[in-house]
């Protein structure tokens, strides 16, 4: 291992699972492990061998998957106090996991030895020594996680160092210094790591938590002080404020600190990896996340958008494509007229910066934003608004009325949803009905059924994303709702928005915009598809 | 100003507004400014004087509010190139804002001078000098934001320092070093800040962005290197990845670095301030946020919950109440049986850790979590589930059926919602109907109307929060939906959950649990209200 190479140790599947709202099926864990392997992390901590039958199933399954590069680690603790290690349940489970690597944590801080383990300082040293030695004798690579190392060191450097020496003398392959409470400061982490690296001839790792919003900085400072392994999770999932986010650490190491990581050639896959894990966890993507957030390279202020046009380096610390992200120019009341102009030109309009319509669009935008509309991921609704202001809007159909009925006939009966709809196209009336999985799905189905006779292209449109946001939650069930829909016809993808106190009406608005945008788009031979910005995929 | 005192400069109302999805009405800006003043920040940057009429209105309004301690700053730039400063539009607007403080930014980086301003290095120095001098002559306190200072310094220390000297010689009261692209590393920020503090006899400030997830660390390192003012935003709102979060910086300064801040006596208000700003922006609260997130002191792993019971310091870097937060013990499949036991005991059940029912609860919990249920903020639904497993559940009413109708009669007609409901209490049937602002509100109203005759206490229950989460957004309008409702009767607050492919049915489940929990609770004279954990207020 080159001195400037840093090993990436992913613990999304173990420490990440302790995050609030985070859980995964076995299949989900396997799919994330395979993805991490493809990305090129060095270690994948698969779970806590003794805590959870699902984790043991994971270890069984993953053995059959023949990962390409990553080594799988089972996680556990040192033996219990005053137990023979060969008879310790946790240690048995660790071996039963049959992984090449085992990672065990032990106590570094006297407070924990006294108050949590309730044993003696010497017994704790023996627990570390016995467990590491036992696992080494059975052929495992042993990574020793020195839990609460920094707090322990601040309390008693001598005792904290004694715990590390116990692990090292028993054969541990790597000593990982953990800031388990997550409260350490960068200079403390740097100083203490440096002292350990200097004192011990052993590979040292770092494991930080984010309770002071410093986990990424603390991890980098530890690397600068000599740590050669960084433990963290994708997107920073983890207990309390989370673990150190590998999605920020890896690009910082590679692009800023010039360290080598085995995954560095796949850096362009970083944003996809981040989203893949969010999707598997069914959690929203962190919009503001460094490097991988949708907003990470989004420019809203007119002046910044303008500067980026002149030279992207002016407001971008790295090129967005380095990490698989992309630049976005946002529309909002802070937008300069140049942002609006750009959208109008995309639509084939011939306006200039001084056209009075630009001011009309900005005014309308401000009004709608006050009502709760947002166009940042509803580009198609924004363009339809521009058409309306330019008096270029062509309604493709008229609504005569709709009715949605949801009915349940008894506690254990299914809940049925049906929508009827009456639309007018030219002089023709179409009156039809459809069922659905819920009221919104039923209305969506009915609208498509009604229009497909006139506009067969509608049949190709599928809704690819659907987001509901309660705008004033304290109004409870009477709250105003914003619905954002993403649609696709296989070629393009577009976003639309609706806002109403009635969720059905909000969906209706977004559905109508989606259909009208599709029909408008198909009529434009001149529209350049490459200019149609792909709306951001997911958001909170 | 004591050398160890740090001034807090809030720019939520200016730089924060450049965040994606962030916007505020004038009233919203005023209410945040007043709250920041009460909290005790030193400066409130109210807006960009030249960019937005709303910001000018803000300056007019805020003058009448007589803030107690904070000074209001208007933000702007140095004059345009080759313009006389007295005739520069932006500079006129800055004066028109009539604030005691003006903050102007100027360019420190030759790349920006050349590619964005498209002027000469000397003219840029003159722009800085002229604008600062002109504003000083008109009696303003002038804070000089050295935009891109760190990137500029890395490119040319001599030129970057020359820009600072221009500002200082013209009378600037504070020189703020900005990491505008947000890509600097802690050690770079520390080294460069130290060099500036050493070279210039002037107060220095720091303004960081979070593009490397390092803004908090960078701000702290700058303070350790001698900076005496920190600029940031509440909750880290801001363009791209956001600004440095004052909600992490302030407690780190006060509790970890022993610096004095004028707001330090109000540290217990920090979480409320954080939520107040989220609420005003109508954005979800960052669950994992350091110090102020709902999860910041939430313990999920059984082992951690157990250790915290023995000694809270074992897994908490600061006491949660220091920043107005609170400890929470979470229920999930990772929960040990002791968490379940605790809930059962709260409900007056007499179980022990070895009772087989504990295992049944854990199994059921796992099944429901797989379906998309989450009980972390739906404590009441969790307790009702325990009752059902213990065969203690008493259904207070039976559902004979409901029907919800949403109807719209034409494009410009209002969208009406009506619900009918038939319930059975004992041998009596109640069949009634109600309208509402949308289908869910109508169903809620109908259910209350039907039950109030039998259970008058229901009339006192109000729904205080309502959250909808689409669980599989790629299924679009047929997606499964999770609804979480928070209810209150003025004395207690409780959360309930429902999951279904039909949003109405998901709401129904949560509404029924809410009503049943209220009635169950009222029947328990022994229930100790202090044990009823308040569910977290808002989440993403």
């Amino acid at each position: 291992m080159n001195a400037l190479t840093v090993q990436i140790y992913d613990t999304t599947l173990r420490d990440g699972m302790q995050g609030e709202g985070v859980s995964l099926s076995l299949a989900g864990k396997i799919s994330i492990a395979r993805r991490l392997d493809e990305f090129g992390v060095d270690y994948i901590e698969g779970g806590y061998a003794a805590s959870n039958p699902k984790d043991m199933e994971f270890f069984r399954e993953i053995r059959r998957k023949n990962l390409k590069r990553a080594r799988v680690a089972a996680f556990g603790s040192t033996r219990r106090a005053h137990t023979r290690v060969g008879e310790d349940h946790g240690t048995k489970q660790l071996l039963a996991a049959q992984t090449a690597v085992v990672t065990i944590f032990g106590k570094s801080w006297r407070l924990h030895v006294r108050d949590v383990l309730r044993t003696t300082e010497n017994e704790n040293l023996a627990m570390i020594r016995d467990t590491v030695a036992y696992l080494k004798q059975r052929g495992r690579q042993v990574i020793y996680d020195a839990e609460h190392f920094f707090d322990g060191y601040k309390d008693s450097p001598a005792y904290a160092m004694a715990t590390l020496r116990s692990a090292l003398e028993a054969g541990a392959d790597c000593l990982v210094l953990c800031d388990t409470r997550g409260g350490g400061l960068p200079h403390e982490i740097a100083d203490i790591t440096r002292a350990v690296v200097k004192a011990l001839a052993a590979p040292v790792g770092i494991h930080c938590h984010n309770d002071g919003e410093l986990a990424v900085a603390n991890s980098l400072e530890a690397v600068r002080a000599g740590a050669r392994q960084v433990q963290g999770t994708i997107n920073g999932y983890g207990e309390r404020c989370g673990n150190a986010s590998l999605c920020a650490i890896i690009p910082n190491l590679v692009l800023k600190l010039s360290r080598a990581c085995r995954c560095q050639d796949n850096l362009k896959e970083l944003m996809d990896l981040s989203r893949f894990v969010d999707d598997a966890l069914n959690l929203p993507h962190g919009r503001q996340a460094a490097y991988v957030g949708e907003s990470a390279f989004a420019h809203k202020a007119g002046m910044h958008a303008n500067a980026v046009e002149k030279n992207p380096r002016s407001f971008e610390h790295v090129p967005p494509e380095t990490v698989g992200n992309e630049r976005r120019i946002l529309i909002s009341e802070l937008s300069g007229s140049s942002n609006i102009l750009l959208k109008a030109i995309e639509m084939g309009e011939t306006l200039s910066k001084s056209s009075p319509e630009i001011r009309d669009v900005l005014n309308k935008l401000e009004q709608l934003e006050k009502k709760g509309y947002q166009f940042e991921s509803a580009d198609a609704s924004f363009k339809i608004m521009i058409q309306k202001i330019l008096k270029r809007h062509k309604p493709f159909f008229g609504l005569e009325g709709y009715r949605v009925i949801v009915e349940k006939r008894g506690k254990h009966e299914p809940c049925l949803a049906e929508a009827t709809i009456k639309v007018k196209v030219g002089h023709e009336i179409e009156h039809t009905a459809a069922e659905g999985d819920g009221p919104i799905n039923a209305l969506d189905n009915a609208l498509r059924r009604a229009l497909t006779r006139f506009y067969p292209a509608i049949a190709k449109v599928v809704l690819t994303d659907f987001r509901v946001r309660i705008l004033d939650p304290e109004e409870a069930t009477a709250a105003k709702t914003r619905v954002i829909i993403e649609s696709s016809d296989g070629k393009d993808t577009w976003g639309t928005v609706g806002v109403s106190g009635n969720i059905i009406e909000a969906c209706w608005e977004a559905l109508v915009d989606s259909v009208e945008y599709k029909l408008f788009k198909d009529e434009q031979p001149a529209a350049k598809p490459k200019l149609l910005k792909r709306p951001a995929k997911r958001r909170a």
Side-chain angles (χ1 to χ4, degrees), chain A residues 271 287 289-299 315-323 325-329:
Chain A
M271 186 164 178
R287 175 199 286 273
Y291 295 100
V292 295
E294 286 150 29
S295 300
F297 300 92
H299 306 281
F315 282 94
E316 290 173 356
H317 68 130
V318 300
E321 58 276 15
T322 334
V323 289
N325 207 331
E326 61 184 2
R327 178 175 312 134
R328 292 162 57 229
I329 305 293

Side-chain angles (χ1 to χ4, degrees), chain A residues 109-120:
Chain A
W109 188 9
R110 295 181 306 174
L111 176 144
H112 267 258
V113 176
R114 188 187 67 223
D115 291 352
V116 179
L117 292 185
R118 292 175 175 167
T119 190
T120 64

Side-chain angles (χ1 to χ4, degrees), chain A residues 419-436:
Chain A
T420 64
I421 191 164
K422 198 164 151 190
V423 296
K424 193 171 180 180
V425 177
H427 296 291
E428 281 194 79
I429 292 278
E430 177 76 22
H431 191 171
T432 185
E435 292 181 330

Side-chain angles (χ1 to χ4, degrees), chain A residues 345-414:
Chain A
I345 289 168
E346 277 182 34
M347 296 163 61
E349 299 294 339
T350 47
L351 293 180
S352 79
K353 266 202 184 182
S354 54
S355 307
E357 293 88 347
I358 298 278
R359 177 55 33 202
D360 295 341
V361 173
L362 281 168
N363 288 341
K364 183 74 182 173
L365 181 62
E366 201 180 328
Q367 276 172 32
L368 290 173
E369 285 197 339
K370 274 187 187 150
K371 286 189 187 160
Y373 286 81
Q374 270 193 0
F375 295 95
E376 290 164 5
S377 53
D379 209 44
S381 287
F382 182 73
K383 287 177 177 168
I384 288 174
M385 182 190 85
I386 294 185
Q387 290 175 342
K388 286 179 180 165
I389 287 172
L390 298 180
K391 310 247 186 311
R392 295 266 206 290
H393 178 249
K394 170 180 161 189
F396 289 87
F397 67 95
L399 175 71
E400 300 284 303
Y402 65 71
R403 183 188 298 125
V404 180
I405 298 174
V406 176
E407 189 161 9
K408 191 172 168 96
R409 287 273 173 203
K411 193 171 176 184
H412 301 289
E413 296 297 311

Side-chain angles (χ1 to χ4, degrees), chain A residues 178-306:
Chain A
C178 303
D179 184 26
T180 311
R181 299 197 305 176
L185 300 180
H187 68 283
E188 298 169 343
I189 304 290
D191 292 347
I192 295 173
T193 304
R194 201 171 289 113
V196 171
V197 169
K198 203 176 155 199
L200 302 178
V204 165
I206 181 75
H207 173 118
C208 292
H209 284 258
N210 206 26
D211 298 70
E213 209 184 316
L214 297 164
V216 172
N218 289 348
S219 303
L220 297 183
E221 282 297 290
V223 168
R224 289 193 349 109
R228 294 156 75 181
Q229 178 182 107
V230 177
Q231 298 193 347
T233 63
I234 300 301
N235 300 328
Y237 286 114
E239 192 148 32
R240 305 186 313 273
C241 306
N243 286 57
S245 170
L246 292 177
C247 292
I249 289 173
I250 294 169
N252 279 332
L253 285 174
V254 174
L255 302 173
K256 301 286 174 74
L257 280 179
S258 304
R259 302 295 160 131
C261 294
R262 211 172 47 175
C263 55
Q264 67 191 36
D265 294 337
N266 294 325
L267 209 53
K268 280 187 196 319
E269 306 296 323
L270 189 68
M271 186 164 178
D272 275 353
L273 172 64
S274 158
R275 293 183 169 209
F276 181 84
V277 172
D278 287 337
D279 287 344
L281 291 172
N282 224 328
L283 287 171
H285 198 63
R287 175 199 286 273
Q288 287 199 318
Y291 295 100
V292 295
E294 286 150 29
S295 300
F297 300 92
H299 306 281
K300 178 162 154 183
M303 206 162 39
H304 290 193
N306 184 276

